[in-house]
Amino acid sequence: MVLAHPKGYGPFDERFTFLFNSYEMLGARRPRQRPSLPRPCPSVDRDLPGLSFTGFEGGMFKVGHSGVGLTFDSEGSLHHVLTEPFRLADHA
């Protein structure tokens, strides 16, 4: 268990124990508190003057970690994804 510790050692702050409760061994998991964000409407290009957009073609792409060098947990293993064409604003 991640929170098992040697004699004489204690947690830095008890309020953080919920971060290590992924298997609910420390009681019920706390509900996530995510803000409610509005989704952009189709007229977003018209409503935000001054923005310029860069277009990207869709297609099949490899994403993730190839197994060489440093990786972050969120990168996962190398896999294919299929994307639709999309545009991103190049500044705000």
Side-chain angles (χ1 to χ4, degrees):
M1 183 171 155
V2 172
L3 295 178
H5 47 77
K7 198 176 200 177
Y9 172 84
F12 171 75
D13 189 321
E14 290 287 343
R15 294 174 294 174
F16 298 140
T17 56
F18 75 93
L19 294 173
F20 302 102
N21 195 21
S22 60
Y23 295 105
E24 299 182 13
M25 298 177 84
L26 303 172
R29 193 178 297 193
R30 295 175 71 177
R32 294 181 184 211
Q33 298 175 354
R34 294 184 175 163
S36 175
L37 300 175
R39 300 281 183 216
C41 63
S43 63
V44 70
D45 295 346
R46 182 186 72 230
D47 296 339
L48 299 173
L51 288 180
S52 60
F53 290 82
T54 301
F56 296 89
E57 293 183 18
M60 184 71 71
F61 298 94
K62 289 182 182 179
V63 298
H65 187 252
S66 65
V68 178
L70 175 69
T71 184
F72 294 96
D73 291 344
S74 60
E75 291 180 297
S77 58
L78 191 64
H79 60 283
H80 289 91
V81 295
L82 178 63
T83 65
E84 297 284 336
F86 63 96
R87 298 183 314 140
L88 293 175
D90 60 13
H91 70 280

